[in-house]
Amino acid sequence: MLKLTIIILIILLILSLVYLYLIQPIVKTNTLNQSSNDTSKPVVMIIIDSIMDKPLQNTIKEGKAPALEFLIHNGNYYPDMVSSYPTMSVTIDSTLLTGTYPNDHKVPALVWYDEQNKQFISYGSARKEIMKIGMKQVLHNSLFILNHHHLSKDVKTIHEELDGKSASVNTLVFRGNQKRLISVPRILNMNGFLEKGDSINGPRHFSYGLLSKLDPSNNKTHFWQAFGFNNEFATKELKFLIEEDHLPSYSLVYFSDNDKVIHKNGVNEMKGIEESDKQLQEILNSYPSWEEAIQDNIWIVMGDSGQSDIGKDEEQALIDLRKLLKDYNIHQISGPIQEQDQIVLGLNERMSFIYLLDSKLEQEQIATQLKSEDRINFIAWKQDDVVNVISGDKEGLLSFKPDGIFTDSYGQKWEIEGNEKILDLSLTKDLKVTYQDFPDGLARLYSSFYSHSGRYLIVDAKPGFEFVGEGSPTHVNGASHGSLYKHDSYFPMIVTGTKLKPEHKRMVDLKEWILKIVNDANNEGM
């Protein structure tokens, strides 16, 4: 999530307020000197972090989202798109941009353990976790290592496919073919966090808060404005592209503010949607009329995942895996891996990886031990090429792998044995698979066991609960995501200006669909 990188920068500047007068960019970048020569209409995709169908519909009913209502009435509305897994921003964004699940793009989660380099990886999850790992390390993970090393070079992003004809505004995953210098505030340079001349590989039009902006006059970058990682900054950047006639073939713009209020206040909170709609109104007002805005461009406004409400009782709502696994030596994230460490926990709010470093520990042993915890929805592990799943609520074992006799609603084939109810599957006599509580559950869960190396289990929390550990974020009396469950997995999408539809209503299918739209020079309005 973008707010995670924001936290890092906020901490840095709060610790160094006496140097605020020095915060001036060393390098100015992203001067726009080329207009788009594309024959097709530009595609503008705006992600409203954690927007969900029910609160969106309620906000519209109250008359507080006129822009979103206008787009819905003039386009297609998909209320139940399926996200990636885990339902955490970096994995989801990687799936969107590459059209693959984690087994191919290799970004496992927001927090995970790199077995090859024996390193605990976090792109920024919570203030305490960031302080324990080290602010510089987390900043470099999110800004450089995520895009240039962890995101597989065997897959191409939309930005790489379009080769200079795209824009990225405030997204954590942005890899492209263009070398872009970042603007390094002197305070970060003085403290050794960034160096003059640091660069990233991104799209031609690259915006990343204070570190890289398209509009030289964009002043929404103060520390009380999260250094540019806010909706107003993103809006000004997109308006600049529109007003300067620099909209490329594809623009991906991230509105992060809604996620924060949902985490704090719960899934029924509408304030974030209302505020996002105000920014969307401002963007549409860049045109003589809203009708002309949707005639000139293809608009895609969507979420990235849902969230689930977390209970009010902290003791009950938070599942502490350290207590459940107290008989083992669990790695302390503030230091390197120690010889005596037996387990590493990779907590991603409502799901977690449990890595077994001790060869004497058996996956099934740990799974059986956790089965008695009634707040856990399921425990899964990979054995050879088969994924096994158990649940405290349901008897037996579910085992599955690809290329079997069963076909799901996405045309994927599976070999399935055991109790299918553990993942709430419906199997018919004609060998069809229907998903219920865990949409596209087989493919999404299976992909996580091929996203990175190591021996590990996956645990997924029931609605109302989240995992907690050393330095991890908590959302008691608010909401959280990360799990495979439908509440976390579904998000809405609004599309205007094209008759082309994605093959399936899944995040993983959107890249191919976007490229088809971009390459269709004869797009017609709805």
Side-chain angles (χ1 to χ4, degrees), residues 404-415:
I405 61 174
F406 291 95
T407 304
D408 66 16
S409 52
Y410 304 104
Q412 302 163 138
K413 292 188 174 296
W414 300 98
E415 181 178 311

Side-chain angles (χ1 to χ4, degrees), residues 394-409:
K394 299 174 179 68
E395 295 296 328
L397 173 76
L398 170 65
S399 299
F400 68 93
K401 65 178 182 178
D403 302 324
I405 61 174
F406 291 95
T407 304
D408 66 16
S409 52

